Amino acid sequence: MPWGWIIGLGLVALVIFRIYYVVHVLKARDLAFFVGAMLQSLQLGSLYALIALGYTMVYGIIRLINFAHGDVFMVGAFLAYFLFSRSPYALPWALIWAALSAWGVMFVLNLWRGSFRDPIVIGGGVVAMAGLTYALSATTVNWLLAMLLSMLITGVLGVVIDRVAYRPLRGAPRISLLITAIAMSFFLENTGLLVFTRNQTPFRPPTEWTQYLQFPVFGSTVYTTRLIFLIPLATALLVVALTLFVTRTRLGKAMRASAQDPETAQMMGVNVDRVIATTFLLGSMLAAAGGVLWGLNFGSLNQPAVMGILPGIKAFAAAVIGGIGSLPGAVIGGVLLGFLENFVTALFPRTQHFAGLTEYKDTFAFILLILVLLLRPSGIVGEDLSEKV
Amino acid sequence: MTGLLSYLVFFLIQALIYALVALGLNLQWGYTGLFNIGVAGFFLVGSYTFAVLSGPAYATHLGGFGLPVAVGILGAMAMAGLIALVVGIPTLRLREDYLAIATIGIAEVLRLVALNARGLTGGSRGAQSIPRPFQGLELGNVASNLVFLVLVAALVVLVYLALETMVRSPWGRVLKAIREDEQAASSLGKDPFRFRLQSFVLGCAIMGLGGALNASFVGFVAPTDFLPILTFEIWAMLIVGGSGNNRGALLGSVLVWAFWTGTGSIAQSLLPSGLQVKGGALQVILIGAVLLLILMIRPRGLIGEERTVSREAELGGDGRT
Amino acid sequence: MFKKLFLAAIALVLAGTALAQAPIKIGVNLELSGRFATIGNSTLQGIQAAQQQMSEVLGRPVELSICDNQTTPEGSKACANRFIDEKVVGVLGAISSTMSIAAAQNLQDAGIIMISTSSTNPATTQIGDHIFRVAYTDDFQGKVAAEYAFNTLKARKAAIFRQQDDDYSFGLAGFFQDEFQKLGGQTIMLNFVANTVDFSSQINDARGFKPDVVYYSGFCAEGATLIPQLKQQGFNMQFLGADASDDSQCPTSGGAAFNGYLFTGFGGPEVLTGAAKQRAEDFHKFFNIAFPKATDFNGFTLAGADSYNVLVQAIKDAGTDNEAAVLKSLSNLKDYPGVSGSITFAGTDGTPKDRTIAFFEYLVPGQNGAAWSKISKFGLSTAAASQ
């Protein structure tokens, strides 16, 4: 461990020295700029963390790189977009959206109650259905409601993907599962092209959160938006909720047990299929939340075929860098990647004489990945998985 | 009639180039169990290396060495192998998924470098006027294609025979042993990492060969030729044909490429122009569905791996392997 | 071979009898879906309106064969090959330089005339004698924008955002940079690729440079994401764009950030003079009746219309749809009264001599881009500028 600390502190010292150099020797930037870049990095890193959590949870339990996860993230963002941009809805559409969301509510309640016939589950579904139908047909949907509904629907989509594509192959070689995941990814992307749109789509719900925020620091101005509060806070909230779920609830404990040793867990009476479904539900909900925040952050969604790919594989790389299978690892890896992409390019800015690193920033995640695999295959906080199972 | 024939030649060249790549992938996945999903990246390295080594001098980017086509091809294979070495050394000691994520990452990195490093690759415009072999003979279009077909077919046969010999040799048996039970193999004194690395580098070099031939055949390369969909197509070819069997890889390449171009031209001719755009998306969904079906119904592909039964077990006669 | 003879025989027989009415086929290769879908459809509407105005030539109806290149070079090549099979008289389009260049070589080799509507990269028409355009070129467009930025806006430091995987954007940014530096200004070039959503690193790079004007040489697909992000990051200087910004996608998707955005574009009725102004206004009226629901009437519409007009005029002048004859009359076209000003191909590489470029400004009241409008400030003629 001391080596880890030495390397870590050494890197921090290097960064500080470089900032000093850029500010005082090159005089290319001021300190406020780096404060702004740090805030940006935190925002971007939070988004990666939200996506990485889904990868790491699924990997932790069924040892599958869920390639479709990036596309689930895309679906979540687009669902929210259609929810807020087309409201209020005519009754038939309101009914469809409400039914989808009510199904999600029942799914979540079912995980807690254990049966779809349970009165609370049915009651919850009916109340959600009635309430949502009314709300969707009567008022405009704001982004927060759209995000929550999208999380419910996307969560169920995750469970359906597992049920349709992955569960039938559970006994099969792991590679069949991986190929199925890739095929599912292409399926979602191309369905997105057919059903959603083929073009870049503006994502600007009316909200105060995207307003500009400028404040003075060190005699200069930091430019940011109110999202600097929203995105990290929302991420922290979701991570805390997830951690509480995993550590405090029966289902969460069953999840951890299954991750450690699925066979023993099954023998101890854990319904592993249900645990896996829960994992997909939670991972996809987080991805949907990430998708909505992503849209708010950049003000625009890329077209469905490309939106999920790069954020998806980068977030997976982040999960591996942090330590695959570990929830804190995914968050740390995600935030680290955000800093690597945004802050490091800010440290080496483009000037008239130096091309800068901006054009290559999409490659950083993979270069770091290779380095981490070489030096510390278990990731920053991960348990040692270096042995081939 | 000549139109059909020349189309057939065209089709076969492309299918056989993909067959080469599928053979390389089969060595990695079918015989060694290495999950390489960065096929497009190694294909790209082969294409660009060939363009630089054998292509004409370009005004704005690297090139102009004007080396003979054969040297260009060998260089392309060496370069792809070198990249494979760099990716393989950190990842092949680890679980197979790490190789997967590293290869998909490296493919993306290579594509971005091809797009951004204008001085090296020509950026988004790519490299043009890449030569074909025997260009000095001034053959006509059809004859040139025919010659190219013969060349590619010969290379496919050569690679096929070489791979068959190799996988049947003791070396190939070690690969399979590692794939099936790594611990058993290493307890017999075989270093799994070394064998995996050899297989991975060799497979990627073959992919580089495919890339070089493709660049030579098409005459230009650009970053958009190497999107992840290419990797998916090659995988579909291998899975449909049957991994672990080189003949399966060949069959799969021809079939999937026929299916791909066939559905493409059906969509072109049947769908109204407004829907043709969506035809591309439908095509991918369709081939994904076929792949899933094959995985579920016939997980070993059309011609699966042959059963290898040890002589002793055969003599013992209880039929179990 | 037999097929050809057979067809020729049939053609002879039919020609002798009643088939003087066989339609003249013109190919249309446009970006109707994908990133440039909105300007693709503006161009198509322009072509279709022109066809409605002049639907017959030499007593034969004109038939448009429309091919969507999906805003991909491969798609554009495929369209070119389709037109070669269909043996069209000429091809209109594509719009963008990347797609135009992709199709041009094949069409040139097959001996088919191509008239790009809005490709402004100088390289396009240099591919061969069969390749024409109705737009001006980017060396001119980049130059006037740089002069405007330097002389009128009094800018001395320009941050240039260019889409480096697009021929148009890449070339134009270079011309702007060269001219701006020649005038004595400083520039920084910021690259991005198609489908970029996160511009934060490019914006950070721009920040240290402290530009007093931002030149955007890309398209609206990315511009509608970039410009709001720039505004959000406190970039309040003047933004300057080019003809690719003449697209309703910019203000509708980008919203309030486009308020006050200036761009150069194909001159419309407001800036044309004399008889050309009258023709453009008449065409605008006709267009409004033909396409009452159209969201745009812009430079792309006019360019589309004139690409059709000059081709049909060349067929008329040639008196036949024979390829060589049409090419000859097109290359000798002089002072054709087009709706975008007069068009002369005689003595050029396929780029018309006298074109009018205009400066436009977007007005986008409120946060939502729905209520956008654009005003044209003034026009400049290429012929006047080159003297």
Side-chain angles (χ1 to χ4, degrees), chain B:
Chain B
M1 193 58 210
T2 47
L4 189 67
L5 200 68
S6 77
Y7 181 75
L8 196 69
V9 170
F10 191 83
F11 167 85
L12 272 179
I13 294 175
Q14 198 70 61
L16 287 179
I17 289 173
Y18 287 141
L20 272 176
V21 183
L23 280 176
L25 183 63
N26 191 28
L27 175 65
Q28 296 176 343
W29 163 240
Y31 291 107
T32 328
L34 302 175
F35 196 61
N36 175 359
I37 44 176
V39 177
F42 298 99
F43 196 71
L44 177 150
V45 170
S47 298
Y48 273 103
T49 311
F50 181 78
V52 168
L53 291 181
S54 295
Y58 300 107
T60 55
H61 58 100
L62 192 65
F65 295 99
L67 297 174
V69 169
V71 178
I73 286 178
L74 286 176
M77 293 178 71
M79 197 67 194
L82 193 69
I83 302 273
L85 205 63
V86 172
V87 181
I89 286 175
T91 49
L92 286 173
R93 288 177 202 276
L94 312 171
R95 300 148 138 334
E96 64 251 48
D97 321 351
Y98 284 128
L99 179 70
I101 198 71
T103 47
I104 199 173
I106 211 78
E108 199 60 28
V109 169
L110 289 170
R111 201 172 59 81
L112 286 167
V113 168
L115 191 63
N116 286 303
R118 285 178 164 260
L120 191 66
T121 61
S124 63
R125 279 260 201 110
Q128 319 274 338
S129 330
I130 300 166
R132 284 199 188 182
F134 310 114
Q135 219 166 25
L137 299 181
E138 299 277 338
L139 300 162
N141 205 1
V142 178
S144 165
N145 275 352
L146 266 176
V147 169
F148 203 89
L149 178 62
V150 172
L151 177 79
V152 175
L155 280 171
V156 169
V157 170
L158 196 73
V159 169
Y160 171 80
L161 289 178
L163 284 178
E164 281 291 298
T165 320
M166 284 167 91
V167 297
R168 283 171 209 287
S169 72
W171 184 78
R173 286 204 293 274
V174 176
L175 290 187
K176 281 193 207 172
I178 293 170
R179 184 191 67 185
E180 294 302 325
D181 189 342
E182 183 181 344
Q183 274 173 350
S186 57
S187 65
L188 290 173
K190 310 288 180 194
D191 177 7
F193 169 68
R194 238 185 61 214
F195 281 91
R196 275 206 208 104
L197 191 63
Q198 287 163 356
S199 160
F200 184 63
V201 170
L202 189 62
C204 287
I206 297 174
M207 291 172 191
L209 168 67
L213 289 174
N214 196 56
S216 170
F217 173 55
V218 180
F220 70 92
V221 288
T224 44
D225 304 340
F226 308 99
L227 295 172
I229 189 80
L230 175 67
T231 304
F232 182 67
E233 278 174 33
I234 303 288
W235 268 98
M237 289 167 182
L238 186 61
I239 299 297
V240 168
S243 64
N245 187 323
N246 284 327
R247 274 173 298 137
L250 295 180
L251 178 73
S253 313
V254 177
L255 284 184
V256 169
W257 187 238
F259 183 79
W260 190 262
T261 49
T263 48
S265 46
I266 288 172
Q268 275 277 323
S269 54
L270 287 189
L271 292 176
S273 63
L275 276 176
Q276 272 183 21
V277 189
K278 305 200 164 183
L282 276 178
Q283 213 180 347
V284 179
I285 293 180
L286 208 62
I287 198 143
V290 170
L291 195 65
L292 283 186
L293 268 181
I294 295 240
L295 272 175
M296 283 176 188
I297 299 168
R298 234 187 131 84
R300 284 159 171 279
L302 295 178
I303 345 177
E305 188 172 355
E306 294 163 30
R307 276 160 60 97
T308 348
V309 184
S310 97
R311 212 174 310 141
E312 281 71 19
E314 248 170 22
L315 288 176
D318 65 351
R320 285 186 301 159
T321 52

Side-chain angles (χ1 to χ4, degrees), chain A residues 37-256:
Chain A
M38 203 175 283
L39 296 179
Q40 268 178 2
S41 310
L42 185 64
Q43 259 171 284
L44 186 64
S46 306
L47 296 171
Y48 283 136
L50 280 178
I51 313 172
L53 280 169
Y55 275 111
T56 221
M57 281 160 67
V58 168
Y59 190 89
I61 292 202
I62 55 173
R63 301 273 183 270
L64 164 72
I65 303 177
N66 182 12
F67 282 103
H69 191 66
D71 302 295
V72 169
F73 155 83
M74 173 274 290
V75 171
F78 271 96
L79 284 181
Y81 168 75
F82 286 114
L83 275 164
F84 72 69
S85 69
R86 303 276 160 90
S87 64
Y89 288 90
L91 195 62
W93 279 107
L95 276 171
I96 290 173
W97 281 119
L100 282 171
S101 313
W103 191 24
V105 170
M106 287 175 71
F107 233 102
V108 174
L109 291 175
N110 171 43
L111 291 173
W112 168 49
R113 299 296 299 180
S115 159
F116 269 108
R117 299 219 182 110
D118 188 280
I120 294 181
V121 176
I122 296 175
V126 169
V127 169
M129 178 84 197
L132 286 173
T133 312
Y134 174 74
L136 289 172
S137 57
T139 53
T140 53
V141 178
N142 73 359
W143 72 272
L144 191 62
L145 181 59
M147 175 165 123
L148 294 174
L149 295 180
S150 163
M151 281 169 74
L152 281 172
I153 302 173
T154 313
V156 175
L157 172 74
V159 177
V160 170
I161 289 174
D162 171 52
R163 182 69 192 80
V164 173
Y166 301 154
R167 207 204 283 184
L169 291 171
R170 209 140 280 166
R174 228 138 59 78
I175 263 19
S176 308
L177 212 58
L178 270 172
I179 295 167
T180 312
I182 295 177
M184 180 51 76
S185 156
F186 278 105
F187 175 79
L188 288 177
E189 283 163 19
N190 288 284
T191 312
L193 284 182
L194 290 177
V195 178
F196 298 153
T197 170
R198 303 186 64 85
N199 302 323
Q200 234 175 32
T201 306
F203 193 95
R204 294 179 217 287
T207 161
E208 304 280 296
W209 284 107
T210 49
Q211 277 181 12
Y212 318 157
L213 181 70
Q214 299 173 356
F215 58 90
V217 166
F218 304 121
S220 180
T221 315
V222 174
Y223 299 92
T224 176
T225 63
R226 297 188 188 178
L227 288 171
I228 184 56
F229 301 114
L230 177 71
I231 291 177
L233 276 182
T235 305
L237 208 68
L238 288 167
V239 170
V240 168
L242 181 69
T243 316
L244 285 179
F245 176 82
V246 171
T247 49
R248 296 290 164 83
T249 63
R250 276 177 65 94
L251 202 56
K253 286 176 187 161
M255 239 163 105
R256 284 192 301 158

Side-chain angles (χ1 to χ4, degrees), chain A residues 368-380:
Chain A
L368 181 66
L369 177 76
I370 300 256
L371 283 179
V372 166
L373 290 183
L374 201 57
L375 300 174
R376 195 181 155 79
S378 53
I380 295 171

